[in-house]
Amino acid sequence: MAEENNIERTTPVPSFTKEGKAAATRHHQEKVGIVTSTKMQKTIVVEVRRRVEHSVYKRIVARRSKFMAHDEHRKAKEGDVVRIVESRPLSKNKRWMLKEVIRAATIAAPVVQ
């Protein structure tokens, strides 16, 4: 009986919703980037830039990655800064969804000469 009190629980106890189903407690990655293309229907291409140290030369270099994200309501435009969140696979290359538009693109007025 003394041994039962010293047992540590290794798996977390799931919380349940009103319907009796276990609530999803997964952690999804989020990334912030700039929309580079909106030419597909309900799909945007987001470029995420990051700065990392070069493995050999120990110098800070810029790296970029492009992610295809699902934009159900077509809110994002080219040049917008957006936040995307990881999701289930939606197509061959699309594994992210648009969470929010952080900053809308600034449109420059045409120069008249």
Side-chain angles (χ1 to χ4, degrees), residues 43-54:
T43 302
I44 57 175
V45 179
V46 179
E47 183 178 284
V48 177
R49 292 180 178 260
R50 58 192 174 95
R51 293 165 49 95
V52 296
E53 185 181 73
H54 192 280

Side-chain angles (χ1 to χ4, degrees), residues 50-63:
R50 58 192 174 95
R51 293 165 49 95
V52 296
E53 185 181 73
H54 192 280
S55 60
V56 176
Y57 301 115
K58 308 301 180 197
R59 183 108 186 215
I60 302 295
V61 293
R63 298 276 186 225

Side-chain angles (χ1 to χ4, degrees):
M1 187 159 171
E3 293 176 13
E4 291 178 16
N5 294 336
N6 294 333
I7 296 174
E8 292 184 21
R9 185 178 293 261
T10 57
T11 58
V13 177
S15 58
F16 290 90
T17 61
K18 290 180 183 176
E19 294 81 22
K21 298 179 182 176
T25 56
R26 295 183 183 144
H27 181 288
H28 296 289
Q29 288 188 36
E30 290 186 354
K31 296 187 184 296
V32 175
I34 299 172
V35 178
T36 57
S37 174
T38 58
K39 294 177 181 170
M40 295 168 276
Q41 293 180 4
K42 296 188 180 182
T43 302
I44 57 175
V45 179
V46 179
E47 183 178 284
V48 177
R49 292 180 178 260
R50 58 192 174 95
R51 293 165 49 95
V52 296
E53 185 181 73
H54 192 280
S55 60
V56 176
Y57 301 115
K58 308 301 180 197
R59 183 108 186 215
I60 302 295
V61 293
R63 298 276 186 225
R64 66 180 187 176
S65 301
K66 289 187 176 184
F67 299 97
M68 288 192 176
H70 185 69
D71 182 7
E72 181 69 31
H73 304 291
R74 299 184 64 116
K75 292 188 286 188
K77 306 294 180 211
E78 280 192 41
D80 289 354
V81 177
V82 296
R83 183 181 318 273
I84 56 175
V85 65
E86 190 177 27
S87 70
R88 66 181 178 84
L90 299 169
S91 69
K92 178 183 172 184
N93 297 321
K94 196 161 53 166
R95 275 101 172 99
W96 297 84
M97 293 186 76
L98 176 70
K99 185 173 183 182
E100 64 177 321
V101 176
I102 297 173
R103 186 176 67 228
T106 57
I107 300 172
V111 177
V112 179
Q113 294 182 353

